[in-house]
Amino acid sequence: MNRLVACIALIVLVVQVSGTKFTDCGSTIGQVTGVQVTDCPDSADTCILKKGTTKGITISFTSKGASNSAKAVVHGVIAGVPLPFSLKNPDGCKSGISCPVKNGQSYTYSNQLPIRNSYPAVGVTVRWEIQDDNGRDLVCVEIPCHIQ
């Protein structure tokens, strides 16, 4: 029986940690439980962002605080310089998060990032933040990417 419980716990752990590789860059009011980028293999060290396409992102997290709103802010960090990426809909409450955000609740945020033809072909770290009413990060993830 103990082996069965241990096996189930291991499977749950593997499922929770699978997904797109990312670094938490300051999730102060939430804990990221998973990140998935469309067409980015779990085994890839770098996500390929093809010009003229759109990439979907899903971020799962558990809130450690409350907020009436949730706003996405996205930057491409090149050589340490953050450059803003624009989103059609930065409102997290219209992107899968049930607002108001409540302490201890789990949420799944989904959105799309257009990769413009005008972007240079370069390595970039995509920094995706979801901020609360006061501009504090519910979540902040950085994903290593390359624009082609």
Side-chain angles (χ1 to χ4, degrees):
M1 183 65 169
N2 285 342
R3 284 185 179 187
L4 177 62
V5 172
C7 184
I8 291 171
L10 181 60
I11 290 170
V12 169
L13 180 61
V14 168
V15 169
Q16 286 180 340
V17 299
S18 68
T20 303
K21 292 186 180 181
F22 71 94
T23 302
D24 189 305
C25 52
S27 302
T28 55
I29 308 173
Q31 180 176 356
V32 179
T33 56
V35 174
Q36 193 69 45
V37 176
T38 306
D39 299 326
C40 183
D42 294 351
S43 60
D45 289 332
T46 303
C47 287
I48 302 301
L49 306 178
K50 293 189 181 191
K51 295 179 187 185
T53 66
T54 300
K55 284 288 189 178
I57 186 167
T58 302
I59 301 172
S60 301
F61 68 97
T62 302
S63 177
K64 295 182 189 176
S67 179
N68 289 319
S69 65
K71 178 184 175 186
V73 178
V74 183
H75 289 87
V77 181
I78 301 172
V81 178
L83 304 168
F85 277 150
S86 62
L87 295 174
K88 272 187 175 178
N89 184 14
D91 187 349
C93 300
K94 294 181 180 175
S95 300
I97 297 174
S98 177
C99 292
V101 175
K102 297 178 182 173
N103 185 19
Q105 295 289 320
S106 294
Y107 297 93
T108 301
Y109 164 87
S110 296
N111 209 328
Q112 302 282 320
L113 180 64
I115 312 304
R116 296 185 181 158
N117 287 320
S118 61
Y119 291 162
V122 65
V124 60
T125 299
V126 175
R127 179 182 300 150
W128 205 293
E129 299 165 85
I130 303 172
Q131 298 176 339
D132 71 0
D133 303 270
N134 299 312
R136 298 176 299 175
D137 287 339
L138 287 162
V139 297
C140 179
V141 296
E142 290 184 334
I143 304 161
C145 299
H146 193 276
I147 298 173
Q148 293 183 344

